[in-house]
Amino acid sequence: MQSLLAEDTREVPAPLREESYEFLGSADIDKERYYSAEFHRLEVDRMWRKVWQLACREEDIPEPGDYHVYDLADMSLIVVRTAAGEIKAFHNSCLHRGTRLCDDAGRVNQLRCPFHGFTWSLEGDLTDVPGRWDFPHVDDAEFALPQARTGVWAGFVFVNPDPDSAPLSDYLGDLEQHLAPFRLQDRYKAVHVAKVIDCNWKVGMEAFLESYHVIATHPQLLEYLGDANTQYDVYTRSDGLPGFNRMITPQATTSPHLEPLEPQDVLDAMFRDFLPEGVGAFEVPEGQSARPIVAAAMRDELAKNTGADLSGTSDSEIVDAIQYFMFPNMVPWAGIGAPLTYRFRPYGNDPDRCIFDIMLLIPLPPGVPKPQATPIHWLGPDEDYSAAPELGGLCAVFNQDLSNMPQVQRGLRSMTKPGVTLANYQEVRIRQFHQDLDRYIAGDH
């Protein structure tokens, strides 16, 4: 990977020139943590209630009164833009008799219980109690809506139910500097597809933390994706907070699992999936590789479609899969060519199901205000990703991944071996994730 970056036609962002691998052990991971109801409860009580987690984007709630409901297990938070423009997150439960106050997303000028009409302002203050004479024991200050902590980074809105948690900036650590060159805050959420998957949230997430599965799951990509040349980096911390990690998978280069293809064949194979009109329209000059030609063509196409100035954007940001991971469940991609962000979370209290969110964050020209984010497109239980054409050529790839995840969940329950075995290098990101999770389960946070 580093040899390819050294040949880039543009300056490569400094974080991509780093390498940070360390051996984190080779012990098996207990299989029961993927399906045990008891372990799920430990995760909720000791991790989800104490950790910073992605709730939405700023452009999901751009105006006062805009709200977005974030659900996870038993938790439900109303993330709302107040009249003063602040972002607050209120626990989604009426303090009278517990009725859920809001669902999904929308715009309101107050938070009113649909059952009996108890009402709060956007700042969480109690403003109306129908039949107030019958509640002399209700103190307005004590009946303010309970809040979770909120924070904003790179355009993402985070919540943390723990009032004593470290600030978001401390939690992010060096990840903030790593992703700063990619200016995710200047993008807007143009696509958001969500689906309930029949697997544990960790099974789903781990399917996207390595490129090791490409040879068996996505063989059609091998002509232009260097799966086995993926660089894996882990960044651990000594202060007890979770680290982060990433992988950089090169594209516009043949997989080492195949005999090397001619550069023109590599170009045509990649354009087949990403730029069909480019097949036959571009030639790789004698003695050159496909990467700079593919990058130049895709750079021009992306600039035309987005209006963004990409003239100084490196080839790597255009063609490679540059994927970071923020504990516990956020997977942002740094590049422009595949501007993805994934999120995985439990579906209710069912350890055998999860919600998989796929977002596309598109760059904007300088000075152009962000449009309001596209609403979530929820896929039904009988729909695959072909029902979300807004994902373009990625639909086929996600459908291949979709075929694996429920099979993993079913197989774990029938597995006679007590744990899953991970590769030392290609699956090190999964191991780091479990080690950070273990610290929460042990009560170290």
Side-chain angles (χ1 to χ4, degrees):
M1 187 66 240
Q2 288 299 316
S3 66
L4 291 172
L5 294 177
E7 298 173 353
D8 205 291
T9 64
R10 307 289 196 279
E11 183 178 356
V12 174
L16 300 186
R17 299 309 308 269
E18 291 184 15
E19 294 183 84
S20 180
Y21 170 76
E22 60 178 293
F23 175 66
L24 297 181
S26 56
D28 281 1
I29 306 297
D30 183 3
K31 67 177 184 178
E32 290 196 6
R33 63 174 50 200
Y34 295 100
Y35 56 78
S36 161
E38 180 182 357
F39 193 84
H40 165 77
R41 180 47 54 191
L42 287 174
E43 286 181 339
V44 173
D45 293 341
R46 298 185 182 182
M47 190 270 285
W48 289 115
R49 296 190 188 277
K50 296 179 179 295
V51 75
W52 285 101
Q53 51 205 280
L54 168 62
C56 62
R57 288 279 297 178
E58 283 188 287
E59 58 267 28
D60 283 311
I61 49 171
E63 301 295 333
D66 288 341
Y67 71 88
H68 178 93
V69 173
Y70 174 69
D71 292 321
L72 189 149
D74 295 326
M75 296 188 301
S76 182
L77 296 171
I78 308 166
V79 184
V80 65
R81 179 84 64 173
T82 71
E86 295 182 277
I87 295 175
K88 293 183 180 291
F90 300 110
H91 289 272
N92 190 10
S93 178
C94 177
L95 299 181
H96 172 216
R97 282 168 58 183
T99 307
R100 186 176 169 95
L101 296 173
C102 295
D103 280 310
D104 303 321
R107 180 175 294 175
V108 294
N109 55 22
Q110 59 187 1
L111 299 171
R112 185 174 187 271
C113 176
F115 193 1
H116 296 95
F118 273 60
T119 304
W120 289 263
S121 71
L122 297 180
E123 284 71 32
D125 299 320
L126 183 67
T127 59
D128 186 38
V129 177
R132 183 61 194 254
W133 62 269
D134 208 12
F135 292 89
H137 47 291
V138 167
D139 180 271
D140 285 12
E142 292 181 358
F143 253 63
L145 284 178
Q147 296 185 46
R149 298 191 70 181
T150 61
V152 176
W153 164 70
F156 297 102
V157 178
F158 292 86
V159 294
N160 192 327
D162 182 6
D164 300 320
S165 62
L168 176 61
S169 58
D170 290 354
Y171 185 85
L172 290 167
D174 291 342
L175 177 62
E176 195 166 8
Q177 289 71 43
H178 251 258
L179 285 172
F182 306 104
R183 303 194 61 80
L184 299 182
Q185 68 273 17
D186 294 336
R187 306 183 190 185
Y188 78 98
K189 190 178 72 172
V191 172
H192 189 163
V193 177
K195 181 173 173 60
V196 177
I197 310 291
D198 290 332
C199 69
N200 186 268
W201 70 276
K202 298 182 293 297
V203 167
M205 188 183 68
E206 291 169 15
F208 294 88
L209 294 184
E210 41 84 2
S211 291
Y212 179 52
H213 69 282
V214 171
I215 185 173
T217 301
H218 311 299
Q220 80 280 7
L221 307 183
L222 296 177
E223 293 175 307
Y224 59 82
L225 188 141
D227 55 337
N229 285 332
T230 297
Q231 176 180 314
Y232 296 90
D233 299 300
V234 292
Y235 294 84
T236 56
R237 296 174 65 163
S238 58
D239 60 2
L241 289 172
F244 67 96
N245 57 56
R246 70 155 179 217
M247 66 181 181
I248 313 173
T249 301
Q251 297 202 94
T253 183
T254 311
S255 167
H257 292 297
L258 302 181
E259 291 294 323
L261 299 181
E262 291 296 324
Q264 185 66 46
D265 294 331
V266 174
L267 178 145
D268 289 341
M270 190 163 183
F271 280 172
R272 176 194 66 213
D273 290 344
F274 290 97
L275 193 64
E277 60 270 28
V279 178
F282 292 88
E283 290 189 6
V284 180
E286 186 71 28
Q288 288 195 26
S289 73
R291 273 176 69 88
I293 312 303
V294 170
M298 292 183 65
R299 185 184 290 110
D300 290 345
E301 184 70 14
L302 288 166
K304 181 177 70 175
N305 291 338
T306 65
D309 179 8
L310 304 178
S311 58
T313 304
S314 67
D315 298 346
S316 180
E317 293 168 86
I318 298 293
V319 302
D320 294 330
I322 308 167
Q323 187 210 81
Y324 280 79
F325 169 71
M326 174 184 169
F327 186 90
N329 67 332
M330 178 182 171
V331 186
W333 292 47
I336 298 291
L340 291 156
T341 295
Y342 303 146
R343 178 180 62 184
F344 294 85
R345 53 193 159 129
Y347 181 66
N349 287 306
D350 186 348
D352 290 316
R353 304 175 83 191
C354 71
I355 300 171
F356 177 24
D357 293 273
I358 303 169
M359 302 168 230
L360 286 175
L361 306 181
I362 305 300
L364 287 168
V368 174
K370 292 184 184 181
Q372 185 155 0
T374 301
I376 300 175
H377 177 185
W378 282 93
L379 297 181
D382 297 324
E383 290 183 305
D384 64 20
Y385 290 102
S386 62
E390 61 267 39
L391 292 173
L394 295 171
C395 289
V397 177
F398 285 128
N399 279 337
Q400 289 171 320
D401 292 310
L402 182 63
S403 68
N404 284 336
M405 293 182 279
Q407 295 295 86
V408 174
Q409 190 69 19
R410 293 178 64 191
L412 284 167
R413 286 184 173 274
S414 61
M415 189 179 187
T416 57
K417 190 161 68 75
V420 302
T421 302
L422 300 177
N424 289 340
Y425 182 70
Q426 295 179 92
E427 294 173 320
V428 69
R429 303 174 73 205
I430 298 173
R431 187 172 300 282
Q432 183 197 25
F433 159 72
H434 281 281
Q435 291 180 356
D436 283 332
L437 176 59
D438 284 342
R439 282 186 275 274
Y440 277 91
I441 298 300
D444 294 342
H445 292 282

